[in-house]
Amino acid sequence: MEPDASVVPAIKVTARHYDNAVGASDAASQGVIRAELLKSRPALRPGEVLEFVPGMIVTQHSGDGKANQYFLRGFNLDHGTDFATTVNGLPVNMPTHGHSQGYADLNFLIPELVDRIEYRKGPYFAQAGDFSAAGSADIRYVRKLDGPQATLTIGQRGYRRALGAVSTEVQPGLSLLGAVELQRNDGPWTVPEGQHKANGVLTLSGGSAARGFSASVMHYDAHWTATNQVPQRLIDAGSYLGRPFGRFDSLDPSDGGNTRRSSLSGEWHARGDDGSATQVAAYALDYRLQLFSNHTFALERPDQGDQIAQRDRRQVYGLSASHAVNHALGALPARSEVGWQLRHDRIRVGLFDSAQRQLTATVREDRVRQTQWGLYGQTSVEVTPWLRTIAGLRADQARFDVDNVSCTANSGAASAHLWSPKLSLVLGPWQRTEFFFNAGRGFHSNDARGATDAAAPVPGLVAARGMELGARSELMPGLQSSLALWKLDFDSELVYVGDAGGTEPNRPSRRHGVEWNNRYIPLPWLLVDADLAWSQARFATHAPEGDQVPNAVNRIASVALTLRELGPWSASLQWRYLGSAALVEDDSVRSRPSLTTNLRLARRLGRDSEITLDVFNLFNRKVNDIEYAYESHAPGEALPVTDARHVHPAEPRTLRLTLKVGF
């Protein structure tokens, strides 16, 4: 909901890159990040665009075609569960997915087309539904460009990327934008990644910000070979089966996958002179993924290896509508919004045993029909000049129909519903400082195959309850700073594990923490970003195996210095810290913290042209993107194997040179 000028005091935004300054939004855990900031720092992969969301850290552990891993507020969000993402109104998260619930693959994102990111943290916002308990982000593309542009990037280890984008006015008030991206990469891996990506966007738009429409066609296709995590014991030994073995070696060179995503979407919006706003949107999406992974090597099937194949084929259809009006609540100025959202997935999903990408047995294969709808309403009221309230209520319904084609006994149907109240209080501003309190209920859906399991069904919708208390201030000239104390409780962490084809019965959980976010412009040419977060995650009920939530990182930090417009030059330096986490419930095995540094140097070559050098992992630190603890056995290893630590290393120092030319 956009604040009405008559409700929210107008206070100048010191750092123009952000719209989350004091008085600029209805709640402190949301904001808007503009394209100007997105261009200031390097992004190694499209998913890392989300690292501009304060407190978010993004890593990759299995090839550039697989969805990223996300860390926020005490969560290892895996590949997207509990953080809902959309691009141009299209949902990214996939329920009842072949690999993981809520799988969010952002590799189709083209960073150069991003206009803004509207982010929210916590379950306090009525517009956000499934997978948004920890937060959500809506990424919006530009509708027109200042002029045609071409971008070419070359880098070490076979990295090549080309992007061409152009927009034109078809007729007065009607614009057409097109962009095509091609990319390949081998990476530092002993087995070359051989990633090939093709990506395209075509958008027709008309009208204005007050009244208009847009329609987009997107297509993305990629295939790759993956080097998954490997046992730390083999890296420490330095050899395997009489041959050298290092951080970038693989135990199954046939791991990898291919994916495809095609979509058609459209939206229409209108804003009245009285401040009312209406929006209607629809989309259709065709999605494919085939993923081959071998995490335990030869532990379960010594003769052929433990590789598994995961397939997901689906069509997704959706509709949404919202309407907001300004009105009076008694004598108080108010703004209310109501909205409706519908999503239907038609899925063919399966898990198979495989060897060298050849299927050898079916573990489980299903046809799934999953329908979810949500209805919400919220009202913002200016009670006094120093007190604003936002109250909301959301109702969600989910229907699961599963036809197990490999075992009819596991077929079935189920439904679930959930009511989610929301409340925010904003006090101030006083001396350019305001205080806030947010509370709300959110949820994530469980996999349909778990919800319809005849032997041990899990809840279809899992509730989460959260609250936060904090302050944000612009008391110091040029500085935006916010501090928040938060907590989030889940009724359960029951999840369907795609790697195993069954339900993992985790317990209820509790998380709490502190976030401190800062944006500082001490000089017109210097921007400083500093985001620091501490959190604690525990299972709410005691068990003999321990209470730690595995892979819940307790400390993360990101600090960046950006020098802008020093003549034709600009530069940025970013430090990123990912803290330690328990890898097992009793905390006997922990991941190692990591600190990496990225550097960007850029020089304008003319009004519309620029050359940029990105240096990732500047100091060439030997750190890991992800660590896990589980049993495995490599072919030829002596038994028993006691070291459970498995790691996926971060890439070494990597240089990439980009030439951007505008016409």
Side-chain angles (χ1 to χ4, degrees), residues 232-253:
Q232 182 66 49
R233 60 183 180 268
L234 296 185
I235 298 174
D236 294 341
S239 65
Y240 169 62
L241 299 181
R243 298 187 301 271
F245 191 91
R247 289 165 47 80
F248 303 109
D249 284 327
S250 173
L251 287 174
D252 193 333

Side-chain angles (χ1 to χ4, degrees), residues 271-468:
R271 186 186 302 272
D273 294 336
D274 59 356
S276 62
T278 303
Q279 184 166 342
V280 179
Y283 60 83
L285 170 67
D286 182 80
Y287 170 85
R288 307 290 174 92
L289 174 71
Q290 186 168 237
L291 193 64
F292 298 92
S293 308
N294 189 343
H295 302 305
T296 55
F297 317 118
L299 179 68
E300 298 176 357
R301 290 173 277 147
D303 294 337
Q304 68 176 37
D306 294 349
Q307 188 182 74
I308 58 173
Q310 295 164 315
R311 285 182 176 175
D312 192 295
R313 300 179 180 178
R314 70 178 66 204
Q315 291 79 45
V316 186
Y317 308 95
L319 292 169
S320 65
S322 65
H323 182 66
V325 295
N326 294 328
H327 61 97
L329 193 63
L332 302 176
R335 183 174 177 84
S336 294
E337 178 179 334
V338 293
W340 173 75
Q341 299 155 348
L342 174 68
R343 172 173 176 165
H344 177 68
D345 289 64
R346 302 175 66 87
I347 312 165
R348 181 70 177 256
V349 62
L351 173 65
F352 309 89
D353 293 337
S354 63
Q356 302 297 306
R357 299 200 182 190
Q358 299 298 312
L359 304 188
T360 59
T362 299
V363 178
R364 178 164 183 170
E365 189 173 10
D366 298 88
R367 295 188 186 95
V368 180
R369 301 293 181 265
Q370 182 165 337
T371 304
Q372 293 179 243
W373 63 262
L375 179 67
Y376 70 87
Q378 69 173 25
T379 297
S380 173
V381 182
E382 185 183 12
V383 181
T384 71
W386 50 266
L387 174 62
R388 283 169 287 142
T389 67
I390 307 97
L393 181 64
R394 182 180 179 94
D396 286 275
Q397 173 81 28
R399 170 74 183 181
F400 312 96
D401 290 286
V402 176
D403 177 15
N404 188 310
V405 299
S406 56
C407 178
T408 56
N410 288 325
S411 299
S415 63
H417 66 274
L418 191 69
W419 294 87
S420 303
K422 323 277 185 175
L423 176 66
S424 294
L425 305 176
V426 183
L427 292 83
W430 298 290
Q431 299 295 317
R432 301 183 67 83
T433 300
E434 67 184 18
F435 302 90
F436 58 87
F437 170 78
N438 297 319
R441 192 184 198 193
F443 71 97
H444 72 234
S445 61
N446 265 328
D447 191 294
R449 293 165 291 182
T452 60
D453 189 301
V458 301
L461 302 178
V462 179
R465 292 169 299 279
M467 65 177 62
E468 67 178 358

Side-chain angles (χ1 to χ4, degrees), residues 28-52:
S29 290
Q30 65 180 329
V32 179
I33 303 171
R34 300 289 181 179
E36 185 180 353
L37 179 67
L38 295 171
K39 297 173 183 176
S40 67
R41 301 207 304 265
L44 182 58
R45 300 178 181 91
E48 290 185 357
V49 166
L50 286 181
E51 288 204 347
F52 290 92

